[in-house]
Amino acid sequence: MASLFEVDIAKLRGVGEKRAKLFCKLGAPTVGDLLRLYPRDYVDWTSPLPIGEAPLGETAVVRGEITEGPSETRARGGLLLCRATAWDGEDEVRLTFFNNRFISQMLRPGETYLFRGKLTQSGGRWAMASPAFVAQAKAPGLEPVYPATQGLSSRQVAAAVQAALKLLPENMRDSLPQALREKHALCHLGYALERIHRPRDQEELAVARRRLVFEEFLILQLGLMQIKSGRKEENLHRASGQYPEDFARLLPFRLTGAQQRAIAEGVKDMAGSSPMNRLVQGDVGSGKTAVAAALCWVAAKSGWQAALMAPTEILAAQHYQSLSALLEPAGLRCALLTGGLTPKEHRAVQAAIAAGEVDLAIGTHALISQKVSFRDLGLVITDEQHRFGVNQRAALAQKGASPHLLVMSATPIPRTLALMAYGDLDISVLDELPPGRQPVETYLIGPDKRERAFQYVRKRLEEGRQAYLICPLITEGETAMMSLDQYEALVRGAFPGVPIEVLHGKMKPAQKDRAMEAFAQGEARLLVATTVVEVGVDVPNAAVMIIENAERYGLSQLHQLRGRIGRGEHKSACILIADNDSPETLERLRLFKSTSDGFAIADADLKLRGPGDFFGQRQHGLPPLKIAGMWMDMDLLREAQKCARRVFYSGALEGEEYRSLRAETRRLFEKTGGTRLAL
Ligand code: ADP
Ligand code: MG
């Protein structure tokens, strides 16, 4: 198998140079990769229904013998019609094909076929238009459907996969040792590959899938463990380990128990024998910033520098404002480094950081630019980490000698998934909100009630509050939905004389800052924005949010958005406007309306939309999962995790029989550039 990853896809029978490019596009530059390009779905030919029992109007597979036709006629306009009738011993179905001159040669009278199409009824007779069909004797069981791309159909991919399967050696080596396979009831790799691409029935598919999912989880987990243990280097920045009481006194509020625990865990890590490597997971508003600030304070008091990296300019600026206000009176020197600075300002900040005149550098990914160097970077914090990749985190860490790492995430993900996605980190959970928060009231209305929602906003504006109006970023004409410009015009018309700012991702950083600043200072009363405000922005006076086209967002994203309000002492309301009457969508939104628990919402999202959203590369920079993401099974994940721990910590992984598993692990992380460590 390993060597097939060295065979260029162009060398495969029937592929050639030109098509090879298309295969690369699908993520299969080699024959080995092609074998790992799993079907995204299957057409089930295994259980044809009697014609009379197939559901009308839905796609179904029926079986029938050709009793009439096929016969060709020309309709008006030259359209070629081919008709035939098939009989299953009870009922007849009339088949019609359009403009396909091969059908009459393919369908043979007296032979039995399986037909797959939408069954309709006309004049008391069953009918199917343009069904797909196969001879019963050659029925494929489950027919794989592959990811396709322009110029390369699923069928063509299937043909190439079949050619690739022929190249698998007769008694190929398995990447998983036999003992491990037996322990976990996993089939051989050869069988799994063969059957995932050519399952004869659901059972074979389940067996193949189980093996491949397990392997994928195992490899991912092993890779993360290796990254983690690779960081078990010496701690060159040893803190005293004392809880920072003096810091707590700087705060205008009392830390919650959860915050105190997270700070204590961090402080203990920083005093340990190897550097801290910790994730702080907390729902929106749980007060992650204070935890970060406490550890920055510890770093500065220990004589090292700290860096805080945020995913957007807005968020970096906001952190800078609140943290410098808090920490500068205590003697910490803070600096903001973002892409928005002039070159001259940039150079000045860089020089100060390099000279050690800055204790806490706050910024966007500008912080990881090559020109930035620190005198002694001891602590690296990344906020809203799902926006950064594993590699960006690593790049910042490289600017110091084994600095401590703290990652803050506001995506409450179920514990098992957290272990999966952040297997390389220790985890602190902020499971307690600061006291006195008023829950946000959530409403769900149709667009016809928009004016009433606006009326409510007007009332709250009069009380002195501010509001977010969220609209998807759509350019003119893209869909039937309103574009941001149209929406802005609508809002300006509905709120004459009210100062309004607009914020979207395509604006220049300086423009964004200006808009956000105006809103934060209360000069603008309404902020018309896309989801760029989703991340971390904090304006306590904003107490109302309207989310247009709420059906377009995942629950976790809505939760993030809603987390922007209810941050001050004011009663807050979130109004979802959904232009959609699909029952599933409404159910989803109703569920969202009924709870404010981020973990419950994440669980629901997981059930409704699958783990893709948690595992998507975009979220956390992990290598994309090829099969596990689609066929996620929590029990299997737990089993693979346990197995990974055993194999890894017993040292078994270093043995000869694990050689190819080690190689696969390395390959997975190399591809995404996800590791800075020699695996
Ligand atoms: P998030 O976890 O979403 O990043 P923040 O750190 O932005 O949350 O905190 C949300 C708000 O709660 C901020 O205005 C912050 O000042 C306030 N806050 C944080 N901790 C406490 C606390 N223990 N008591 C009261 N208010 C707090
Ligand atoms: Mg935050």
Side-chain angles (χ1 to χ4, degrees):
M1 182 74 202
S3 59
L4 287 184
F5 284 109
E6 269 130 51
V7 180
D8 198 322
I9 193 78
K11 299 263 156 36
L12 192 64
R13 240 191 72 213
V15 174
E17 293 297 335
K18 204 161 138 221
R19 246 190 219 164
K21 286 210 186 73
L22 299 174
F23 278 98
C24 288
K25 224 166 130 188
L26 291 179
T30 71
V31 172
D33 290 305
L34 180 63
L35 287 171
R36 297 286 192 173
L37 183 69
Y38 303 121
R40 62 177 169 76
D41 203 355
Y42 297 85
V43 175
D44 191 344
W45 293 93
T46 60
S47 19
L49 294 169
I51 296 167
E53 284 172 30
L56 266 184
E58 280 170 43
T59 301
V61 177
V62 299
R63 185 198 344 244
E65 180 192 329
I66 300 292
T67 49
E68 250 183 79
S71 61
E72 289 184 350
T73 48
R74 287 250 169 227
R76 245 185 305 164
L79 183 71
L80 178 69
L81 287 177
C82 177
R83 289 205 175 88
T85 303
W87 184 67
D88 71 356
E90 294 272 334
D91 294 285
E92 268 182 3
V93 60
R94 294 174 55 94
L95 311 163
T96 315
F97 301 86
F98 305 96
N99 265 352
N100 188 335
R101 60 197 169 83
F102 300 109
I103 299 290
S104 58
Q105 293 153 43
M106 286 155 75
L107 283 177
R108 288 162 198 267
E111 270 209 51
T112 301
Y113 296 86
L114 304 182
F115 299 94
R116 183 174 181 275
K118 209 185 265 180
L119 198 70
T120 54
Q121 204 176 23
S122 72
R125 312 177 76 162
W126 306 109
M128 243 185 209
S130 309
F133 62 91
V134 283
Q136 173 172 247
K138 289 194 187 145
L142 297 170
E143 183 190 354
V145 180
Y146 289 93
T149 181
Q150 178 130 41
L152 191 60
S153 70
S154 164
R155 285 251 158 111
Q156 288 166 317
V157 175
V161 168
Q162 294 309 324
L165 281 171
K166 294 211 177 81
L167 300 182
L168 279 178
E170 189 63 39
N171 32 23
M172 66 177 293
R173 278 191 49 160
D174 198 321
S175 46
L176 301 180
Q178 188 170 351
L180 187 150
R181 285 199 319 266
E182 277 167 16
K183 187 171 160 66
H184 296 280
L186 302 168
C187 70
H188 192 278
L189 177 60
Y191 180 86
L193 288 175
E194 178 87 23
R195 289 300 138 203
I196 198 78
H197 292 296
R198 217 166 12 195
R200 278 173 294 220
D201 54 39
Q202 293 288 355
E203 202 182 323
E204 283 190 353
L205 177 60
V207 168
R209 194 185 271 168
R210 186 182 141 78
R211 141 81 205 218
L212 295 170
V213 172
F214 186 95
E215 180 181 29
E216 186 157 64
F217 281 148
L218 183 67
I219 288 175
L220 179 60
Q221 214 53 25
L222 286 173
L224 290 170
M225 281 177 184
Q226 268 163 322
I227 291 180
K228 185 173 181 175
S229 75
R231 274 194 53 85
K232 288 266 180 269
E233 52 224 272
E234 198 191 338
N235 183 359
L236 303 175
H237 297 95
R238 285 235 185 178
S240 73
Q242 247 175 16
Y243 188 85
E245 293 294 347
D246 292 350
F247 166 80
R249 274 193 280 281
L250 296 175
L251 294 168
F253 47 74
R254 235 183 90 77
L255 290 165
T256 63
Q259 284 171 318
Q260 290 176 28
R261 265 194 310 280
I263 293 170
E265 284 165 343
V267 168
K268 187 159 165 251
D269 287 351
M270 289 161 85
S273 57
S274 48
M276 170 169 74
N277 208 15
R278 180 168 292 277
L279 169 74
V280 175
Q281 221 200 3
D283 210 342
V284 272
S286 58
K288 292 182 288 293
T289 317
V291 174
L295 298 184
C296 290
W297 190 90
V298 170
K301 294 295 163 186
S302 309
W304 345 299
Q305 292 168 293
L308 173 63
M309 183 159 73
T312 64
E313 307 260 340
I314 296 173
L315 202 51
Q318 198 157 51
H319 276 322
Y320 173 71
Q321 257 173 16
S322 58
L323 290 178
S324 57
L326 180 71
L327 298 171
E328 281 192 334
L332 265 70
R333 295 157 301 178
C334 303
L336 177 65
L337 193 72
T338 63
L341 300 182
T342 65
K344 199 170 151 210
E345 291 167 329
H346 215 279
R347 278 196 299 276
V349 176
Q350 269 171 23
I353 293 175
E357 289 155 14
V358 168
D359 298 304
L360 172 57
I362 297 169
T364 54
H365 53 267
L367 279 177
I368 52 178
S369 99
Q370 290 217 316
K371 293 187 206 122
V372 182
S373 67
F374 288 78
R375 195 178 57 92
D376 182 13
L377 182 60
L379 170 65
V380 170
I381 301 179
T382 52
D383 190 11
E384 313 293 351
Q385 97 96 19
H386 62 285
R387 296 284 167 116
F388 293 110
V390 175
N391 14 0
Q392 279 171 308
R393 235 198 273 159
L396 185 55
Q398 264 168 350
K399 298 201 173 285
S402 312
H404 299 290
L405 278 189
L406 186 78
V407 169
M408 302 197 286
S409 168
T411 317
I413 55 180
R415 179 103 194 148
T416 335
L417 279 188
L419 284 174
M420 177 83 221
Y422 305 105
D424 60 330
L425 303 172
D426 298 312
I427 302 179
S428 299
V429 179
L430 297 185
D431 50 7
E432 184 184 349
L433 290 184
R437 287 278 161 75
Q438 296 207 34
V440 176
E441 293 277 350
T442 303
Y443 304 91
L444 175 59
I445 62 173
D448 52 320
K449 303 256 164 55
R450 182 182 290 117
E451 180 43 38
R452 274 185 57 194
F454 281 176
Q455 191 58 38
Y456 174 76
V457 173
R458 283 186 204 106
K459 189 174 128 237
R460 299 302 306 273
L461 290 179
E462 277 164 28
E463 294 168 15
R465 303 288 76 77
Q466 291 163 277
Y468 294 102
L469 305 175
I470 309 295
C471 169
L473 182 58
I474 295 182
T475 32
E476 209 86 35
E478 185 189 321
T479 63
M481 268 180 279
M482 249 188 295
S483 71
L484 187 65
D485 289 342
Q486 287 166 326
Y487 190 60
E488 183 192 341
L490 177 83
V491 172
R492 287 195 190 277
F495 296 91
V498 175
I500 296 172
E501 284 289 343
V502 179
L503 184 70
H504 60 81
K506 295 206 172 135
M507 286 161 56
K508 293 220 174 70
Q511 284 178 306
K512 276 196 236 172
D513 284 352
R514 231 174 291 126
M516 201 57 228
E517 187 64 18
F519 188 65
Q521 297 303 326
E523 290 154 28
R525 311 304 298 177
L526 289 177
L527 186 68
V528 173
T530 60
T531 51
V532 288
V533 293
E534 165 199 346
V535 180
V537 173
D538 189 19
V539 182
N541 190 46
V544 184
M545 174 175 283
I546 293 183
I547 305 177
E548 297 278 348
N549 293 104
E551 75 280 356
R552 285 187 40 129
Y553 304 105
L555 294 186
S556 295
Q557 198 175 11
L558 287 174
H559 181 64
Q560 288 287 323
L561 282 168
R562 185 170 58 181
R564 298 308 109 218
I565 57 173
R567 300 173 80 84
E569 74 265 35
H570 313 289
K571 181 181 95 171
S572 296
C574 176
I575 303 169
L576 309 174
I577 300 187
D579 188 9
N580 189 311
D581 40 25
S582 106
E584 291 103 79
T585 305
L586 290 180
E587 192 194 316
R588 225 157 52 82
L589 295 179
R590 283 206 194 101
L591 182 136
F592 175 73
K593 189 168 119 61
S594 69
T595 180
S596 58
D597 177 345
F599 283 91
I601 287 171
D603 262 335
D605 234 2
L606 179 67
K607 286 199 195 90
L608 290 164
R609 311 210 306 172
D613 279 17
F614 297 106
F615 281 144
Q617 176 130 31
R618 200 173 53 85
Q619 294 263 350
H620 48 61
L622 285 177
L625 297 184
K626 289 197 160 160
I627 187 164
M630 292 185 280
W631 313 115
M632 173 82 144
D633 169 346
M634 282 302 213
D635 292 336
L636 201 55
L637 167 58
R638 277 187 216 109
E639 194 177 331
Q641 248 162 9
K642 242 189 253 159
C643 173
R645 259 180 241 129
R646 200 172 30 106
V647 168
F648 188 77
Y649 292 113
S650 68
L653 189 61
E654 300 312 311
E656 173 58 24
E657 54 173 3
Y658 280 97
R659 205 177 43 146
S660 69
L661 192 62
R662 283 203 304 275
E664 300 257 340
T665 307
R666 200 178 318 120
R667 271 174 28 81
L668 182 70
F669 278 83
E670 258 168 14
K671 255 200 200 156
T672 38
T675 174
R676 71 209 133 109
L677 303 151
L679 284 172

